[in-house]
Amino acid sequence: MTLNKPHVLLTGGAGYIGSHTYVALVEAGYQPVILDDFSNSHPVVLDRLQHLTGQRVVCERGDVLHTGLVTEVLQRHGCVAAIHFAGLKAVGESVEQPLRYYRTNVGGLVSLLQAMETADCRSVVFSSSATVYGDPAHIPVTEQSPCMPESPYAHTKLVCENILASLKGADPSWRVGVLRYFNPVGAHPSGLIGEDPSGAPNNLMPYVTQVAVGKRAKLRVFGNDYATPDGTGVRDYLHVSDLAEGHVAAVRALLAREQSFTVNLGTGEGTSVLGVLDAFERASGQPIPFEFAPRRAGDVAKYFADVSMAEDLLGWRATRSIDDMCRDSWRWQQNNPDGYRTAGNAPTSPVHSLRAGVASPALTGGVV
Ligand code: NAD
Ligand code: UDP
């Protein structure tokens, strides 16, 4: 009975991290409600979520910048909390289009918070990013490390964190969970949902999987002269299913306690680019062609998280290994060489027809 389950709004819930969090929330006994404009996702994901959870998916199509729509959705579903994933996330693009990034990421959060205030729903989990730390002087990175964002994207995340802190300061009834993600990779072990970048991937793991599946000739390893054991960049890769479970822990903590928090979500372990390649070759059983290329502008040599606060406050820690991440990424890519647009993946359920009659076309909701 979905009526008795606590309903949680997932803005951007059709995207990469949101879809995995949807599954984790259902498994934990919540009823997630997706609000997504599908600007960077595909409706086929809804069929996959229905298949994975065995229950009707609740999804509203709309833009989080439409405060009235968000309010209406929160009220109609009686949401007790929201997780805010909706936003733009490409660092390079944010340098070229800063206003678009500020409007969507900062404006989107303000719109959501206004809607939540009207709907009397004051528990929110925010998708922040380790990019707020910039190039950290000390590793592992703790939540007390100075925030020195370098890109407009990272600045939008820090501005959002500051807005949430101001709101909490003005009205202590707000419960705010800020999650600073390190490097989410991997896919659901079913191979049914995963990361579906449009165009050439910027990030390492989706690029590697596209090389493995033959869509790209070879990986360019950006820099082999860093001060790291093998000279290539080191990051804290985190399985997206662990990350999804971190959101469940965050919602649970917010609803159970009066406390707000800002925590890192990572594994606490660093893996180099060559380390990822090795793991991927083991997972896929095939060599991955690569060449060394110059360093990528703006990259830092090495960082990984101190994850003790997440464990202390949320009782959460990552359990999946880099081998698990590679195996699941590979299964997703093999099953869906062109992501959700792979031939034969056309949406099947009637749910994708938009519901008519809600205010205006821009506010039309598609209920799945
Ligand atoms: P994603 O692009 O796969 O998902 C974002 C979803 O939001 C998409 O489905 C998109 O259609 C939707 N969306 C975008 N603008 C919207 C709007 N105005 N109204 C409604 N929906 C909108 O991204 P993701 O990787 O799942 O990331 C989710 C969040 O996590 C983002 O805020 C991102 O900045 C943050 N984050 C991601 C990473 C990462 O490496 N993926 C790392 C750190 C933080
Ligand atoms: N990287 C690479 N080739 C690529 C993409 C990334 O060598 O095509 C390297 C990158 O320089 C960094 C690591 O892989 O050292 C992780 O990069 P990603 O973009 O995935 O994450 P971020 O740099 O944002 O942490």
Side-chain angles (χ1 to χ4, degrees):
M1 261 304 284
T2 71
L3 272 180
N4 299 327
K5 295 180 179 174
H7 283 49
V8 178
L9 182 72
L10 304 190
T11 71
Y16 173 45
I17 301 169
S19 56
H20 290 80
T21 301
Y22 186 99
V23 175
L25 282 165
V26 171
E27 284 170 354
Y30 295 89
Q31 175 57 62
V33 175
I34 294 175
L35 173 74
D36 203 299
D37 67 359
F38 292 89
S39 54
N40 196 38
S41 46
H42 194 282
V44 164
V45 71
L46 302 177
D47 287 341
R48 303 291 177 86
L49 292 178
Q50 182 154 327
H51 186 84
L52 281 171
T53 60
Q55 66 178 52
R56 181 178 158 270
V57 174
V58 181
C59 176
E60 305 274 353
R61 184 188 290 256
D63 188 334
V64 74
L65 284 156
H66 285 276
T67 313
L69 170 70
V70 184
T71 309
E72 198 264 325
V73 169
L74 284 164
Q75 288 174 331
R76 183 153 41 81
H77 293 282
C79 295
V80 295
I83 307 180
H84 185 46
F85 297 108
L88 304 173
K89 62 172 182 175
V91 171
E93 192 180 63
S94 79
V95 175
E96 284 150 25
Q97 303 174 31
L99 294 181
R100 186 169 157 242
Y101 270 69
Y102 277 96
R103 177 167 168 72
T104 304
N105 291 5
V106 178
L109 176 71
V110 172
S111 172
L112 171 67
L113 295 174
Q114 287 177 322
M116 291 178 74
E117 203 154 52
T118 307
D120 198 20
C121 167
R122 289 188 173 76
S123 293
V124 62
V125 175
F126 176 64
S127 294
S128 191
S129 163
T131 56
V132 297
Y133 296 116
D135 189 355
H138 298 288
I139 311 254
V141 183
T142 73
E143 290 80 357
Q144 284 69 46
S145 300
C147 287
M148 293 187 291
E150 292 179 354
S151 67
Y153 166 74
H155 275 282
T156 67
K157 291 294 181 189
L158 191 56
V159 171
C160 287
E161 288 193 16
N162 291 338
I163 289 169
L164 288 162
S166 302
L167 184 60
K168 173 86 188 151
D171 177 355
S173 70
W174 277 92
R175 300 173 193 186
V176 175
V178 171
L179 305 180
R180 293 179 176 157
Y181 314 155
F182 278 65
N183 287 60
V185 297
H188 190 273
S190 63
L192 286 173
I193 56 173
E195 188 171 11
D196 187 18
S198 45
N202 295 313
N203 296 113
L204 178 64
M205 187 65 87
Y207 207 101
V208 169
T209 61
Q210 292 197 5
V211 172
V213 85
K215 286 183 73 174
R216 312 215 171 255
K218 62 172 84 153
L219 175 75
R220 296 170 70 224
V221 175
F222 298 137
N224 61 347
D225 56 353
Y226 286 112
T228 60
D230 63 21
T232 65
V234 167
R235 297 288 182 275
D236 185 341
Y237 297 97
L238 172 67
H239 196 296
V240 66
S241 296
D242 277 325
L243 180 58
E245 289 165 10
H247 288 79
V248 175
V251 168
R252 202 178 270 139
L254 284 185
L255 293 179
R257 291 181 253 132
E258 296 289 314
Q259 213 180 357
S260 293
F261 48 83
T262 297
V263 297
N264 290 336
L265 293 186
T267 61
E269 282 174 29
T271 307
S272 70
V273 177
L274 293 183
V276 171
L277 276 181
D278 275 354
F280 197 87
E281 290 185 350
R282 281 196 299 276
S284 66
Q286 65 180 71
I288 305 298
F290 73 92
E291 65 186 9
F292 289 117
R295 293 180 178 193
R296 187 171 65 177
D299 270 358
V300 306
K302 170 177 177 171
Y303 66 78
F304 52 87
D306 181 318
V307 291
S308 48
M309 194 179 283
E311 188 153 6
D312 292 348
L313 290 183
L314 308 182
W316 171 90
R317 66 180 307 182
T319 59
R320 294 155 176 98
S321 68
I322 191 74
D323 288 326
D324 296 329
M325 301 176 212
C326 291
R327 185 199 59 220
D328 293 336
S329 294
W330 176 228
R331 185 180 298 113
W332 155 252
Q333 183 73 65
Q334 272 185 303
N335 290 354
N336 306 272
D338 294 316
Y340 292 113
R341 287 158 194 81
T342 301
N345 273 359
T348 52
S349 66
V351 293
H352 306 298
S353 51
L354 294 181
R355 197 161 50 91
V358 180
S360 74
L363 301 186
T364 301
V367 176
V368 179

